[in-house]
Each structure stands twice: as structure tokens, then as C-alpha cells.
Amino acid sequence: MNAREQILGRLKAISMTDPISTYDDGLKHRLDAAWDGSFPDESRRLAGLFADALEAVSGEFYSAASVEEAAEIVGRIAHSSDYNAIVVDGGDMADNIALRVTDTLQVIAIPEAAQRSEVLADIHCSMVEAHWGVAETASLAFPYIHAVSTQPHFLAETVIAILKRDRLLAHLGALFNHLSPEEMKNLVLVTGPSRTADIEKILILGAHGPKRLIVILLD
Amino acid sequence: MLKPRKTHHYIRQALKNDCLRAAVGKATDLAVRKRQDLVNETPYWEDLRHHVHHLKSKVLENPEQSLMTFEARCIANGINVHWAEDAAEARQIIVDLAAQKKVKKIVKSKSLTTEEIELNPALEKAGLETWETDLGEYIVQLEGKTPSHLTMPALHLSRYDIGRLFEKKLGIEYTDNPNELLQVARQRLREHFLSADMGISGVNFAAVEEGAFVVIENEANAHLSISIPKIHVAIMGLEKLIPSLSDLPYFLKVLAPSATGQKASSYVNIIGGPQQHLMEEGPEEVHLVILDNGRSNILADASLRETLFCIRCGACLNICPVFRQVGGHAYGWAYMGPIGATLIPLYNGLSEGRYAPFLSSLCGACFDNCPMRIQIPKHLLTLRNRIAESGKTMLIERVGMKIWSMLAVRPRLYRFITGLAAIVQQLIPFDKAFPAPGYVRHRALGRMDSKGFRSRFMDSEDRREGGR
């Protein structure tokens, strides 16, 4: 008998008939209502919550009324950090913004798979497109089925994420209600820049991933 | 696993080490404060705790069915599933896989299950260059020790210790600036991420319905470990199941505040198969090792199975007055603190783990802080009883308890003996207590001729009677 059969055989013999905890069936309903109820419906207020939550995790927030304004913000960020190149993850909006910054920045498309990691490891700034945003935690959702690569999200020192305002949801529960089964099972959720507090609990940004995460909320 | 007789030695060392206690105190104070702030912001926190407890009970109610469904869905998603009875078999599966795939270099993200099975020594013995990539784990790997906390592996080291360690092991100029130390680690490990053939991770949650698993982190090292190398091997205890990914938000909502005092962890990676077909990057193969290593026996134990609900957040460690004094190494295994004190005898046997359940004051703070509502004090008492019943206690303790229980059921004899002890006590000069070596090192032994509980109780009863 192999390990699988042995383990499952033991588990079959011990399948529980007595529930461990007593559970009030109305609890989930109450819980969901309380979680939902603590958020406003109005998108502008959600944006404010998102901005606050992002700043609390050392992220930076911008709001742009148009693609042109977003491009101007990207240009300003690049200029202030002396970046002369930006990698774009292939999302339509990010590509659109990138088209408008080509006079000041070298725009680099996702490299071929074979050289991707090596090339991206030397790039300081990337622009990526988030599929959903979560106001409560300032999380960004990147389902892999909509992505060309996740490496720009992780290897660059500064990541600029573009999020459409109508893609902003209240909380994590709402996010998972919106994701399709295919989207949710291959996904990365990003909340703020990479961080560590492993040395005397002193918070340092940019542990192995980006030091800066900038979100531009686009109308 | 630390030999039981060494436990006392480690505890004594820890109690003498003021630097360790200060470091543990500082870190755990901060974690407790940040967690409490977030709990206060969440009026439905108690409902959340009840709900995640229920979800875990539900999925483990029929563990065989849940695991078979999970396995079938994983296979349908292109994940190779392996089963391991024990630590040795799990190690062998991974070593064999590495040999078969001609792996030379491995990057690892933080995983307590790999600590439990002592994977790193096996990989090194097989000639595989293995790098821990979580900063804290990297530090303890360089130190040649094991983590001292579930979520803060290098908690026992100060920045000065780490500076000296990096100077010695990495040949850099001494610095105790945390940011500079991180930059050194980041630069070294970035090279390893880019050149590794295999990435190994643990699993925080495994979703039955979707056949997908979740790896949670803050540094981005886990994502780099599992998305750049061509092979990803994940190892999970069979209790990591949750019913569905749609239940994941509830677990995420309780995990991050409890683990690191954050509202949300920085990165939540959900893996439902090799990503190559989706993005032309990421692993070509995903292997998942499902580990038993005693878990099925714990599930069979109706009074203790709840200990497997643990999500390894470390909240019970941070609040525990014993852990805060002795730190993690005193427990002698991969799991420590109150939850470790229950898991150590359960995984290693009552004999090997006989001291662990006694490393608790039973104050109950661990239960109050546990996001999963695991009744840790109750489980510690159950284990203490079993250890006492199995005769795995010290001879002096057994004899002492026997004498006491004999006296306790004979009140007259009890009064006579204690009265006699009080008279003898008066013969000891300078008002000293009875000599009790060991016992009085860290606490006081009351005088036998002082007013004891019985006479105080009788006095108070008399006062109440008189007041009526």
C-alpha cells in the first residue's frame, strides 16, 4: 500500500460525525452584512478609503481624470527619480499611457520569456495594470489569465500600477465575489511595496520586490 | 527535536539572557499592540473568529473526502500531487525530484513545514545548493540555527548580532544599519532567484473546490521563488485545507492582523497549476507534497483535533508570558509558544514532548488572541493529564503528587502534617522558609507557619456568618 492509500485509509476510518463546534447558521449572513455595511457605495468615497489604506502601507496614491493626466504623472515620477526607461506589462491602459511618455522615457515591452528575468532585473521602473482594486486594504488583484507577465510587478524598484476607478471594490470579500473561478485560482494580490521587519522589527521597504508602489486611479 | 532533558538547560540559558528577553519583549509588544488596534477597528472580529473556526471544522469533518476532491482538482489543474507518510518520505520525494530534474540550485521561501521535516539538511546532504530567501530565514540559515518564532525567525538576534554574522559569513564590512544589511541580502539573493532551478514553498491554505493553494508573504521572495525557477515544489500538511477560495477572504482578514499586525499581507499568491500556458513564464511544473507526519492520528483524536486548525500566525506566542521570557528555541522544535506546546507532544510523542505542555501559565491569553478560536489552554491540560497518566513525569513529581493526593482525601491527617510542618518551620532560624533547591530559584516558597488558605477561608466564612 502506498502513502496515499495508507493516509486516506486512516482518514476514512476517522471521518468525523460529531461537529467540533456549534455554529449559528445566521452568523455568516450577519458577518457578511457587517463587513459590507462598513463601506460606502459611492465610488469617490471608496477612492478616499483606498488612498488612506495605501498610504498606511507606504504606497503612493494619485488620481487622474484622463490618460493624458496619468501620462503626465508617470513622466513626473520618472523625472524626479532620474528614470529614463520604463517597462510596461502589456495591459491596454498601461500601453495607452506609455504611448504618451515616449518623448521623455524609453518604453520597453515585456521581453521574450528566455531573457525576461535578466532584462527586467536591471530595470528600475515598471508600469502595470491592475485588474481590480480593494479599498479596505489598498490591495491590487492581478489574475494571471489577464497578464503577460508578473515579473514587472516584482523585479522593478518602482512599480506604477494603473487602476480604473470602476474597478475599485470595497473589500476582499467583494473582490472574491467578482472574480471568476479561473481568475481566482491563478492570481496575485499586491498590497503596498515589498517589506520586511525581520531585523529588530524595524520596517524596511523593498525587501526583495519594489521599494515604491504608486497607484494611479484613472477615471 | 531538542532532547527533553536539554529543555531545562535552554530555559535556564534564556532566562539569564537579558538581551534575548529584551528583544523578544520589544518585538512581541509591538505585534500585540498592532494586532489589538486592528481588532478594535473590526466590530465583527468575534463573528469572524467563529466563522473561520466553522469553515475549518467543516472541511476537516470528512478529511478523506476533502483530500480526495482536492487531489483530483489539483491534478486536473496540472499539479503533480505526491503523498508523504512522514518527514523522511517527504524529504526523499523532494530530493528524488531534484535529482530527476537535474536541479543544482534551490531557492526556498519561508515554510514551517519544511522546518518540521528538516528539509534543508537533506537537500544539502544531496549536494543541492539551497538558499532561504526570506530575510529572517536567510539570517538564521547563515547563523546555522533554526527560527525562534513562527513569523519572526530572527527574533532572537539584534542588529549588532546580524551585522557581525554578515561580516563573518558574507565577508562584508561590518554594519549594523538594518537597511544596509537588507541591501546586502537583497543583492545576494537576487542572483540566486535568477539562477535557481527549483523553488520550494510552503502552503498557507489549500482550496478543495478549486484545487489551488495559497502562499502568503510580505517580502516578494516567495513570488520570486515560485515564479522564476522552472520547477515549483510546495509542501503542505494535510490539515491546510479550506473549503473554497471564496472562503479565503475570511482567513486573510484574520491572518494578517494576527501574524504581523497588518490589515493585509503584502502578497497573496494563489497557485492553480503551472503558469507557463498562461504567461510563458513561471514554472513548467508544479509539484505538491501532501504530508501526514502524524496529522491523521491527531485528527482521529476528538479532544485534540482542533489543534490542527492553527494557521501559524504566531499571535499566541506574542501574548504568552512564558514565550516572552524564554523565546522560541527553548521549545526545541519548529513550532513553539502555546500552540507549539500542544503540537510538540502530538507530533513527537508524549515521551519526547513531555515538558512542552508545561511551558504555559494557563492564563488563557492564547485562546483570546487565537484568530481560529483554538482552545489552547484546554488542550494543554488534556496533554498534561495524558503525560501524567503515562508516567512520563519526573520521579520526585510523581512521589510528591502521590503523597499530596493521599493527604488531600484525609483532612485530619492533612491538618496534622501541615501543623507539624509549621512547628518545624519555627525551628528554622532567621525566618527562612524550608530549603527547596530549584523551586525557590525563581519564586518564593511560603512559610508553613504563615496563615494558610484553609484558615483564611475559615476566617472569611466566620466574618460572613457574623455579618448576617
Side-chain angles (χ1 to χ4, degrees):
Chain A
M1 214 191 284
N2 62 24
R4 178 185 183 276
E5 286 162 359
Q6 282 182 354
I7 295 167
L8 291 175
R10 275 197 302 277
L11 292 175
K12 187 175 189 166
I14 60 152
S15 287
M16 299 175 209
T17 46
D18 52 333
I20 294 169
S21 66
T22 49
Y23 184 72
D24 163 12
D25 285 332
L27 189 142
K28 183 175 183 300
H29 185 71
R30 277 204 316 274
L31 175 61
D32 289 344
W35 202 352
D36 275 340
S38 50
F39 292 95
D41 291 332
E42 205 240 311
S43 82
R44 239 156 244 287
R45 287 177 64 202
L46 275 186
L49 282 174
F50 181 92
D52 291 345
L54 185 66
E55 277 162 24
V57 291
S58 313
E60 298 163 50
F61 179 82
Y62 291 88
S63 176
S66 63
V67 169
E68 287 73 18
E69 194 184 340
E72 200 188 309
I73 294 166
V74 172
R76 265 202 326 261
I77 293 163
H79 179 71
S80 66
S81 305
D82 284 335
Y83 297 142
N84 49 28
I86 190 166
V87 171
V88 182
D89 79 346
D92 291 345
M93 255 185 322
D95 278 348
N96 234 331
I97 294 167
L99 283 175
R100 289 163 169 82
V101 293
T102 47
D103 49 343
T104 53
L105 277 170
Q106 182 196 355
V107 175
I108 301 169
I110 299 293
E112 286 300 312
Q115 300 90 37
R116 194 173 292 166
S117 310
E118 282 77 9
V119 172
L120 293 178
D122 291 331
I123 302 289
H124 295 292
C125 185
S126 67
M127 181 159 52
V128 302
E129 195 170 316
H131 202 67
W132 293 102
V134 177
E136 180 185 24
T137 52
S139 305
L140 302 170
F142 299 94
Y144 296 159
I145 55 169
H146 304 302
V148 179
S149 169
T150 63
Q151 291 183 7
H153 311 50
F154 289 87
L155 289 171
E157 188 178 274
T158 297
V159 173
I160 302 170
I162 311 297
L163 174 68
K164 279 180 78 177
R165 189 181 291 271
D166 61 6
R167 289 263 157 183
L168 190 54
L169 301 166
H171 56 78
L172 282 172
L175 171 70
F176 277 78
N177 287 337
H178 274 78
L179 292 168
S180 71
E182 276 310 304
E183 285 175 324
M184 75 170 82
K185 74 180 186 191
N186 288 291
L187 171 86
V188 60
L189 278 176
V190 175
T191 307
S194 146
R195 63 193 52 228
T196 183
D198 274 342
I199 303 176
E200 291 189 1
K201 290 293 280 174
I202 298 162
L203 178 67
I204 316 170
L205 301 178
H208 293 290
K211 281 183 189 148
R212 288 177 77 192
L213 176 71
I214 300 155
V215 178
I216 302 177
L217 189 71
L218 186 62
D219 276 329
Chain B
M1 171 77 194
L2 196 65
K3 292 285 166 215
R5 59 196 166 82
K6 286 199 171 170
T7 307
H8 285 144
H9 168 75
Y10 268 80
I11 292 170
R12 273 198 293 274
Q13 294 300 313
L15 289 172
K16 279 185 211 157
N17 187 341
D18 291 339
C19 294
L20 170 75
R21 289 158 68 197
V24 175
K26 184 180 160 196
T28 51
D29 274 348
L30 183 65
V32 168
R33 209 167 48 242
K34 285 167 74 181
R35 175 198 166 276
Q36 194 56 51
D37 288 346
L38 289 167
V39 170
N40 293 345
E41 276 177 27
T42 314
Y44 45 88
W45 182 258
E46 283 306 310
D47 283 348
L48 265 172
R49 288 177 78 209
H50 276 282
H51 187 56
V52 288
H53 187 279
H54 167 71
L55 290 170
K56 209 65 183 165
S57 320
K58 201 167 95 178
V59 80
L60 291 177
E61 235 168 51
N62 191 339
E64 182 219 12
Q65 194 52 54
S66 296
L67 275 166
M68 278 170 44
T69 308
F70 175 65
E71 179 197 33
R73 305 266 158 95
C74 281
I75 293 169
N77 287 335
I79 297 172
N80 301 286
V81 180
H82 309 259
W83 297 76
E85 273 273 45
D86 54 26
E89 196 171 354
R91 289 193 297 261
Q92 199 56 51
I93 288 168
I94 299 171
V95 168
D96 288 348
L97 256 175
Q100 195 190 326
K101 305 289 172 189
K102 299 187 170 39
V103 168
K104 288 191 175 68
K105 188 188 276 191
I106 296 173
V107 281
K108 267 187 79 223
S109 67
K110 188 175 175 324
S111 153
L112 289 160
T113 314
T114 63
E115 297 287 344
E116 174 191 327
I117 65 165
E118 297 176 355
L119 180 62
N120 285 13
L123 296 175
E124 280 155 22
K125 199 175 160 199
L128 295 158
E129 184 184 342
T130 306
W131 291 101
E132 290 288 350
T133 59
D134 171 88
L135 178 64
E137 293 275 350
Y138 179 62
I139 292 166
V140 294
Q141 184 185 24
L142 291 177
E143 193 196 12
K145 287 200 176 165
T146 52
S148 61
H149 190 285
L150 298 180
T151 58
M152 300 178 266
L155 180 67
H156 58 288
L157 296 173
S158 69
R159 70 177 90 171
Y160 312 106
D161 299 327
I162 298 166
R164 282 190 291 273
L165 183 70
F166 275 32
E167 182 186 27
K168 189 177 159 196
K169 297 282 179 162
L170 301 177
I172 62 155
E173 202 173 310
Y174 173 82
T175 173
D176 51 43
N177 178 317
N179 195 24
E180 287 173 14
L181 291 166
L182 169 66
Q183 292 318 313
V184 172
R186 179 182 162 112
Q187 195 190 355
R188 300 278 171 119
L189 290 169
R190 182 61 70 101
E191 289 163 19
H192 296 313
F193 287 127
L194 298 177
S195 55
D197 312 297
M198 179 186 271
I200 297 179
S201 75
V203 170
N204 291 90
F205 302 104
V208 171
E209 195 176 315
E210 293 83 3
F213 60 90
V214 184
V215 180
I216 299 172
E217 51 150 346
N218 281 312
E219 296 186 3
N221 65 305
H223 187 90
L224 294 174
S225 298
I226 64 182
S227 66
I228 297 182
K230 294 293 169 217
I231 303 161
H232 172 198
V233 179
I235 177 159
M236 61 172 265
L238 56 77
E239 82 284 13
K240 294 285 179 185
L241 300 178
I242 60 171
S244 157
L245 285 175
S246 58
D247 297 312
L248 183 63
Y250 304 106
F251 288 95
L252 296 179
K253 180 90 176 154
V254 294
L255 175 62
S258 306
T260 46
Q262 291 168 277
K263 226 177 201 178
S265 303
S266 299
Y267 302 103
V268 177
N269 301 284
I270 305 180
I271 296 118
Q275 280 122 38
Q276 274 288 326
H277 67 285
L278 295 172
M279 297 187 293
E280 292 181 343
E281 70 175 33
E284 289 162 1
E285 291 176 30
V286 176
H287 296 263
L288 178 64
V289 181
I290 300 177
L291 175 71
D292 185 331
N293 207 27
R295 288 165 171 83
S296 53
N297 292 332
I298 303 172
L299 275 176
D301 189 334
S303 53
L304 290 166
R305 65 171 68 116
E306 195 196 44
T307 55
L308 291 183
F309 290 17
C310 175
I311 54 172
R312 311 282 190 258
C313 67
C316 62
L317 280 64
N318 299 335
I319 200 76
C320 174
V322 176
F323 177 86
R324 289 161 62 99
Q325 293 300 315
V326 299
H329 287 146
Y331 293 79
W333 202 43
Y335 307 116
M336 62 282 289
I339 191 66
T342 66
L343 297 178
I344 290 168
L346 285 171
Y347 282 78
N348 299 286
L350 290 183
S351 180
E352 285 291 292
R354 62 183 178 271
Y355 293 133
F358 296 90
L359 293 175
S360 166
S361 66
L362 298 177
C363 66
C366 47
F367 169 69
D368 294 341
N369 274 251
C370 174
M372 298 302 297
R373 292 191 99 253
I374 300 171
Q375 298 186 57
I376 300 172
K378 185 180 139 195
H379 302 315
L380 289 171
L381 278 173
T382 303
L383 285 161
R384 286 183 184 190
N385 279 334
R386 288 187 188 175
I387 289 163
E389 281 164 10
S390 69
K392 306 277 186 227
T393 48
M394 284 186 289
L395 180 68
I396 189 166
E397 209 175 300
R398 286 203 299 278
V399 172
M401 289 311 285
K402 243 193 176 105
I403 294 171
W404 186 85
S405 61
M406 192 256 290
L407 293 175
V409 293
R410 293 172 177 83
R412 282 189 189 157
L413 185 62
Y414 189 94
R415 275 203 299 278
F416 173 73
I417 298 282
T418 50
L420 202 64
I423 293 166
V424 176
Q425 169 88 75
Q426 284 166 5
L427 300 174
I428 300 175
F430 309 117
D431 281 348
K432 292 249 176 167
F434 276 108
Y439 184 86
V440 294
R441 194 176 295 137
H442 299 294
R443 60 199 145 182
L445 178 69
R447 287 181 61 87
M448 299 299 287
D449 57 345
S450 64
K451 205 165 193 177
F453 171 77
R454 191 173 173 281
S455 57
R456 281 167 201 246
F457 182 77
M458 296 307 277
D459 285 356
S460 71
E461 284 294 295
D462 289 347
R463 271 201 303 276
R464 277 172 57 190
E465 290 294 322
R468 278 182 193 163

